[in-house]
Amino acid sequence: MGTRAASDISEEHGLICGFLVRNGTVAPVPWPRIADALAEPDGLVWLHFNLVDVRARQWIEAMPTLPRGARQALLGQDSHFRLEPVGEGLTGVLADLHHRFDDPAGGLGQLRLYMDSRLVITARRQPLMAVDQLRRAVAQGLAPTGAIDLIAHLMFHLTDTVAAEVSELANDVDDVEDALLADRLEDEGEKLGRIRRTAARLRRHLGPQRTALNVALGRLPGWCGIEDQARLRQGIDRLDGVGQDLDLVQERARLLQDELSNRFSEATNRNLYVLSIVTTILLPVNLITGIFGMNVGGLPWSGHDAGFLWVCGVMIFTIVASLVVLHWRRLF
């Protein structure tokens, strides 16, 4: 079969891609041939829809063999990540990264899915990275052995995508740490804030997904064999490993944020200390200049030719006396 033709499939009636996997080979399934592919006696059919297209939603709603719970999960608005049994299959919502995850408006989106022993339906409303990578891999000849194997490959791509994001965050943390050790504190606080926000978004979505997959592992349908369980466990373990790396990045970023706050607090205290010393030294001088600036009769040396010098001498004496007292009290 021609993988080039599969990779060149354009979206039609909301169908982003369709594949029939049989005997280790992959054939594209365009919109007019969906019914023929579903009527095949063996093989795995994967259909990936764009829910923005009303025709895709209508097709899912009208599919007679689809359980009601699966239709609700595929067409609903619930963003709670889960994977639960329905009829003879599994349905739910999984997390996937947007194509522009670095965009403040981006993040993780919802990939809605249903699968049974011969059919996998996935649907999304925004372009997602892991499922798109899986689509390209299948178009290039990747032949999953079954529905669970296809979902495991999706987990592998999601893990690789998240791992790349976590690795970039770890590199950013290294840069902030180097700058902190070198006392280059220009915009490191802003960088740490961005790192912590990104890590928190990842963790907030991946944590429930890991929980949902672990729960689903113990509730797989009867058509799932031991190999399917092992394959799904492998995907969950890889996701757990990335989750641990993400936790480490979060902890490092938090510690660096605390260190940066301490550095700024030390700098502020040091400046306040210097300001307090200068204020203490100049306070007597300000008092003297204030007294002699009252311009009233009876001021000392007001009629003396060397009066200005005498006042300057008194001010110098008070400065020296202040320094001596501060040094004696070990404040300077």
Side-chain angles (χ1 to χ4, degrees):
M1 79 94 197
T3 57
R4 179 178 178 80
S7 63
D8 289 340
I9 293 176
S10 59
E11 185 175 326
E12 183 180 7
H13 293 78
L15 179 67
I16 299 172
C17 67
F19 298 102
L20 172 62
V21 183
R22 183 171 52 186
N23 299 326
T25 61
V26 181
V29 178
W31 179 267
R33 293 193 56 229
I34 290 180
D36 296 335
L38 294 175
E40 292 289 339
D42 57 358
L44 174 69
V45 178
W46 175 32
L47 303 175
H48 183 42
F49 290 99
N50 180 6
L51 293 177
V52 175
D53 195 313
V54 66
R55 290 167 296 186
R57 300 197 301 271
Q58 291 173 346
W59 185 90
I60 293 174
E61 183 66 37
M63 186 178 181
T65 59
L66 203 61
R68 179 183 178 185
R71 285 196 293 268
Q72 291 176 347
L74 290 170
L75 300 176
Q77 301 292 330
D78 183 15
S79 60
H80 176 65
F81 299 123
R82 64 192 187 279
L83 191 60
E84 55 194 15
V86 56
E88 295 298 322
L90 290 170
T91 190
V93 182
L94 298 179
D96 194 356
L97 269 70
H98 291 169
H99 267 290
R100 293 192 61 191
F101 182 74
D102 56 344
D103 191 333
L108 284 103
Q110 292 87 38
L111 178 68
R112 303 177 180 276
L113 64 90
Y114 165 77
M115 61 179 171
D116 56 30
S117 58
R118 291 204 56 247
L119 174 65
V120 175
I121 297 178
T122 55
R124 52 77 169 167
R125 285 184 170 84
Q126 295 175 306
L128 303 175
M129 295 181 65
V131 70
D132 187 61
Q133 293 172 359
L134 178 61
R135 176 185 66 83
R136 295 177 184 275
V138 174
Q140 293 171 3
L142 174 67
T145 59
I148 294 294
D149 189 39
L150 180 68
I151 298 303
H153 278 290
L154 175 64
M155 291 297 100
F156 296 157
H157 286 293
L158 176 62
T159 300
D160 293 340
T161 303
V162 176
E165 186 70 28
V166 172
S167 177
E168 183 177 347
L169 291 177
N171 292 334
D172 292 341
V173 171
D174 291 338
D175 294 339
V176 172
E177 186 175 23
D178 292 340
L180 192 60
L181 293 175
D183 285 331
R184 299 194 308 270
L185 307 179
E186 293 128 4
D187 55 350
E188 307 310 316
E190 181 181 350
K191 292 180 181 178
L192 277 175
R194 180 187 60 80
I195 292 171
R196 295 189 67 181
R197 285 193 301 271
T198 303
R201 294 207 326 261
L202 279 172
R203 193 173 187 275
R204 190 182 307 120
H205 290 79
L206 293 185
Q209 175 152 298
R210 290 155 61 188
T211 302
L213 290 171
N214 277 294
V215 171
L217 189 62
R219 305 170 63 188
L220 294 178
W223 49 266
C224 297
I226 297 177
E227 292 183 357
D228 290 330
Q229 295 179 12
R231 192 65 169 160
L232 188 58
R233 166 57 64 187
Q234 184 180 2
I236 295 173
D237 289 343
R238 290 181 61 176
L239 197 60
D240 286 342
V242 175
Q244 293 174 5
D245 293 339
L246 180 61
D247 292 340
L248 180 60
V249 169
Q250 270 195 306
E251 181 64 19
R252 290 185 60 200
R254 186 185 65 81
L255 292 175
L256 287 177
Q257 186 79 57
D258 293 342
E259 178 66 21
L260 187 63
S261 298
N262 292 336
R263 293 287 185 93
F264 283 128
S265 295
E266 290 176 1
T268 300
N269 292 336
R270 186 166 53 250
N271 293 336
L272 289 175
Y273 171 75
V274 173
L275 182 61
S276 299
I277 294 296
V278 173
T279 302
T280 303
I281 293 174
L282 295 181
L283 183 60
V285 175
N286 290 331
L287 179 60
I288 293 174
T289 56
I291 292 175
F292 280 90
M294 288 189 294
N295 197 24
V296 296
L299 288 175
W301 310 307
S302 59
H304 199 285
D305 293 338
F308 174 75
L309 296 178
W310 280 103
V311 173
C312 289
V314 171
M315 289 191 294
I316 293 174
F317 173 77
T318 58
I319 292 175
V320 173
S322 299
L323 292 174
V324 170
V325 172
L326 291 174
H327 182 71
W328 174 61
R329 297 297 300 270
R330 299 184 183 275
L331 298 176
F332 179 71

